[in-house]
Amino acid sequence: MPTVLFQLLRRLANLHTWSAPALVITVVFLTSWPLMALFEPPDSALVHPANYWWWFLVTASTVGYGDFYPVTTGGHVVGVYVIVGGIATLTTLFTHLATTLEEAKGRRMSGAATLNLSGHIVVLGYHPDRSERIVDELLADGRYPVALCARAEVERHPMPDREVEFVRGDTSSADVLRRAGLHRARSVLVDAHDDNEALTITVAVNHLNPELAPVVALRDMSRAEHLRYVNSDIRCVQWHTPHMSTEELLDPGITQVYAELVTHGGGNTYSCQLPEAVDQASYGACQTALGRRHSATLLAVRTRRELLISPDWETRIPAGSTLYYVCGRRVTPEQLVRAVREVQDH
């Protein structure tokens, strides 16, 4: 009988399911109680229903408070059986837990898992170094989770040291896009290997989540017209400037602002040197002067030592520094002096 019980116990312990520990401890409990009642004296408090479950629990967990204990040799053998069963149960439980965690990590590393994310940014496509730069900038912003969805040939998570989820497969497949949580995503970057693939992926993205306005990185910006047949809200950026991709993801519409700044007509960018007549004028005075008199916006100042991007308004600017501003026309040094003095006089 003991041999049969231990063989059954061993087989149950080898089951790789969450039910195995429950089966092991149940079998041990149901078999040990009648055996203990058989060996112990009839008046033993140990085998009383109100006490046995407690003794079984503390003995199986190897705690052993000693408030109840067997007094016969047979009872001692049953106690050993309970201890072995408890150890087998705990071993089975922790082994299965470790296996489950390892399998989950393996699925994450291999990109086979389904992501439980929402309000996140999905990057569709992987390019060594380039994708790391894009992901690092998105993570540095810190507002949204990031998921990377790569082609099937990317066999393992390419950025395991970063807080980015990974999905692997056909990036134009609805199943793969769903595993990446695209239907719950905040925004998506289509960073394909060529413009034809970008068009294919964009069609799939629009079909799965038409509410998204994808950011699409293109080698040939003339293809943007074709992409907008799919969705008029699609935002296209030059593939060779990955920084623009991240800025457009985080601050939609900013690439249009940049494009307008470098396009002739409308608001152009200009520069001029601060004349000696207004040496040490504050940045705020220059900003106010250009804005009030010429409807211009001061962007930055380059002194002899450094470039200042939107510095504090009290920053003093030495003569000879270069002012960079946006305006409909160029402002002459004389016009700048008059405008700054008007501000200083008031």
Side-chain angles (χ1 to χ4, degrees):
M1 182 65 178
T3 302
V4 174
L5 291 174
F6 278 105
Q7 285 293 331
L8 178 61
L9 179 61
R10 182 178 61 82
R11 292 188 179 185
L12 288 173
N14 287 332
L15 293 176
H16 296 292
T17 65
W18 286 110
S19 60
L23 287 172
V24 170
I25 203 66
T26 300
V27 168
V28 173
F29 181 81
L30 293 178
T31 55
S32 65
W33 194 351
L35 287 172
M36 186 66 76
L38 176 65
F39 291 118
E40 287 298 292
D43 58 347
S44 173
L46 172 61
V47 296
H48 192 279
N51 300 328
Y52 187 78
W53 71 270
W54 168 252
W55 174 85
F56 180 86
L57 179 63
V58 297
T59 303
S61 61
T62 69
V63 175
Y65 283 114
D67 47 354
F68 299 103
Y69 53 87
V71 296
T72 65
T73 301
H76 292 160
V77 173
V78 175
V80 171
Y81 169 56
V82 170
I83 293 173
V84 172
I87 294 174
T89 299
L90 293 176
T91 301
T92 305
L93 178 63
F94 291 135
T95 299
H96 189 60
L97 179 60
T99 301
T100 301
L101 292 175
E102 188 62 29
E103 289 177 352
K105 181 180 179 182
R107 288 176 60 83
R108 177 180 180 272
M109 290 296 103
S110 64
T114 298
L115 305 185
N116 186 24
L117 293 176
S118 61
H120 58 298
I121 296 175
V122 180
V123 178
L124 295 175
Y126 174 72
H127 310 270
D129 296 330
R130 168 188 170 86
S131 295
E132 278 81 356
R133 290 169 56 194
I134 291 174
V135 167
D136 285 343
E137 290 187 21
L138 294 175
L139 293 177
D141 180 75
R143 287 182 291 168
Y144 312 106
V146 180
L148 173 67
C149 184
R151 280 175 157 186
E153 54 260 35
V154 183
E155 296 182 355
R156 300 291 292 175
H157 196 323
M159 309 178 200
D161 57 330
R162 293 170 171 82
E163 291 294 326
V164 55
E165 298 295 336
F166 175 58
V167 170
R168 169 175 163 264
D170 180 359
T171 49
S172 63
S173 164
D175 176 65
V176 174
L177 295 178
R178 282 188 177 277
R179 287 201 292 113
L182 188 75
H183 51 298
R184 300 186 302 267
R186 175 189 181 274
S187 55
V188 57
L189 169 63
V190 178
D191 195 23
H193 285 71
D194 57 60
D195 290 351
N196 289 329
E197 184 185 40
L199 177 58
T200 301
I201 295 174
T202 303
V203 171
V205 168
N206 188 73
H207 177 73
L208 183 61
N209 190 345
E211 299 301 319
L212 279 180
V215 176
V216 184
L218 294 176
R219 276 78 168 173
D220 180 4
M221 289 299 289
S222 66
R223 302 291 296 275
E225 179 182 351
H226 302 150
L227 284 164
R228 292 195 179 99
Y229 291 147
V230 178
N231 185 334
S232 59
D233 293 327
I234 286 175
R235 294 161 284 153
C236 298
V237 297
Q238 178 59 250
W239 190 87
H240 301 290
T241 55
H243 179 68
M244 295 297 295
S245 299
T246 59
E247 290 208 7
E248 186 64 30
L249 282 170
L250 297 171
D251 299 291
I254 198 167
T255 54
Q256 185 178 0
V257 175
Y258 289 151
E260 188 67 22
L261 291 177
V262 298
T263 302
H264 181 70
N268 296 326
T269 51
Y270 299 101
S271 67
C272 68
Q273 290 189 332
L274 187 69
E276 287 285 349
V278 285
D279 181 34
Q280 298 300 318
S282 68
Y283 179 84
C286 295
Q287 177 73 277
T288 304
L290 287 169
R292 182 180 296 170
R293 172 67 73 170
H294 300 286
S295 300
T297 301
L298 183 58
L299 300 175
V301 175
R302 182 181 293 279
T303 66
R304 294 179 181 178
R305 296 182 300 173
E306 59 184 335
L307 177 66
L308 305 175
I309 305 294
S310 189
D312 186 272
W313 274 42
E314 299 304 318
T315 302
R316 296 293 170 173
I317 304 175
S321 299
T322 302
L323 309 181
Y324 299 94
Y325 59 95
V326 181
C327 190
R329 61 188 183 283
R330 188 179 296 278
V331 178
T332 66
E334 293 77 15
Q335 290 174 325
L336 179 60
V337 169
R338 286 197 298 270
V340 171
R341 283 179 171 171
E342 286 181 7
V343 172
Q344 291 176 333
D345 291 341
H346 289 82

